[in-house]
């Protein structure tokens, strides 16, 4: 909302966006340092708590100064609704600032689910599911799928049927 509000009130929108960028910078710092779940909580308390307190005071003050139906008014009015979720990550290192990594992880599944309607037959859908499972196994075990698939296909025709399970991606 604040990004859209830049055309309406650049100054206020930039203030909010800069604060959010600082919060994301703190999260990146925690990721780079490879912190365990307790350590991000400490980092956030040290670096983000005061900033969030100032942001809350800012939006409560600014909401009275803008037109409610303007783009900036809508952005500021939306902030209190999300605020409890944003500040919850201060007290728990397991919580992330957003759910983008999870959304990116499940996006292929959601797209696949839609595409499976058009596989042609039940058998074809099972084959697609089988291939997806193999590729997901590769990904989970840090195996490059194309390399694994090429190597496996070159061996599969000479392999005994009762030992095909040995060609599956190795689990960590």
């Amino acid at each position: 909302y604040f990004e859209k509000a830049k055309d309406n009130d650049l100054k206020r929108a930039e203030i909010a966006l800069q604060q959010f960028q600082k919060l994301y910078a703190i999260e990146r710092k925690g990721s780079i340092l490879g912190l365990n779940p307790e350590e991000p909580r400490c980092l956030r308390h040290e670096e983000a708590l005061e900033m969030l307190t100032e942001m809350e005071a800012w939006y409560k003050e600014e909401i009275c100064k803008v037109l409610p139906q303007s783009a900036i008014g809508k952005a500021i009015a939306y902030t209190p609704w999300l605020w409890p979720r944003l500040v919850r990550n201060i007290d728990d290192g397991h919580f992330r600032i957003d759910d983008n990594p999870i959304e990116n992880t499940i996006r292929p599944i959601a797209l696949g689910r839609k595409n499976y309607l058009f596989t042609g037959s039940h058998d074809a859908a099972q084959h697609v599911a089988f291939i997806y499972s193999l590729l997901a196994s590769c990904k989970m075990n840090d195996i490059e799928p194309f390399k694994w698939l090429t190597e496996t296909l070159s061996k599969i025709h000479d392999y005994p049927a009762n030992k095909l399970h040995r060609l599956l991606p190795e689990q960590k």
Side-chain angles (χ1 to χ4, degrees):
Y1 285 105
F2 284 105
E3 190 66 39
K4 292 177 185 174
K6 286 168 70 172
D7 293 337
N8 174 243
D9 189 333
L10 182 63
K11 183 181 174 187
R12 285 186 178 99
E14 285 292 328
I15 289 171
L17 290 171
Q18 287 171 1
Q19 294 303 311
F20 289 126
Q21 286 174 356
K22 289 177 185 175
L23 291 172
Y24 275 90
I26 294 167
E27 293 299 306
R28 275 191 302 280
K29 181 179 179 180
S31 292
I32 290 168
L33 294 173
L35 304 178
N36 69 40
E38 181 59 25
E39 293 167 325
R41 188 185 71 75
C42 296
L43 178 67
R44 292 169 186 158
H45 270 270
E46 290 172 14
E47 298 188 22
L49 186 58
E50 184 178 337
M51 184 186 329
L52 284 167
T53 305
E54 291 170 7
M55 279 179 70
E56 185 177 27
W58 175 82
Y59 82 73
K60 285 181 177 179
E61 182 179 323
E62 295 301 312
I63 193 71
C64 302
K65 299 177 183 177
V66 297
L67 295 172
Q69 292 304 311
S70 67
I72 195 69
K74 289 177 182 178
I76 294 174
Y78 188 63
T79 306
W81 187 76
L82 291 176
W83 198 255
R85 296 179 210 169
L86 178 62
V87 298
R88 185 172 38 201
N89 91 332
I90 292 290
D91 292 321
D92 191 331
H94 292 95
F95 292 144
R96 300 288 168 242
I97 197 166
D98 63 35
D99 61 358
N100 288 344
I102 294 168
E103 286 182 10
N104 291 338
T105 302
I106 65 171
R107 184 171 290 117
I109 296 167
L111 287 172
R113 188 173 47 234
K114 185 177 178 183
N115 293 332
Y116 301 147
L117 296 171
F118 306 102
T119 56
S121 70
H122 182 71
D123 288 339
Q126 285 184 322
H127 293 160
V128 169
F130 177 73
I131 291 169
Y132 266 102
S133 296
L134 290 174
L135 296 177
S137 295
C138 286
K139 186 175 181 179
M140 286 173 40
N141 293 293
D142 295 324
I143 297 170
E144 205 287 306
F146 185 74
K147 181 181 175 190
W148 172 81
L149 194 56
T150 334
E151 290 172 1
T152 304
L153 288 176
S154 68
K155 298 176 195 173
I156 201 163
H157 67 280
D158 293 332
Y159 225 78
N162 63 346
K163 296 182 181 176
L164 284 174
H165 65 279
R166 293 182 181 168
L167 294 178
L168 294 174
E170 291 184 28
Q171 293 185 357
K172 287 183 182 180

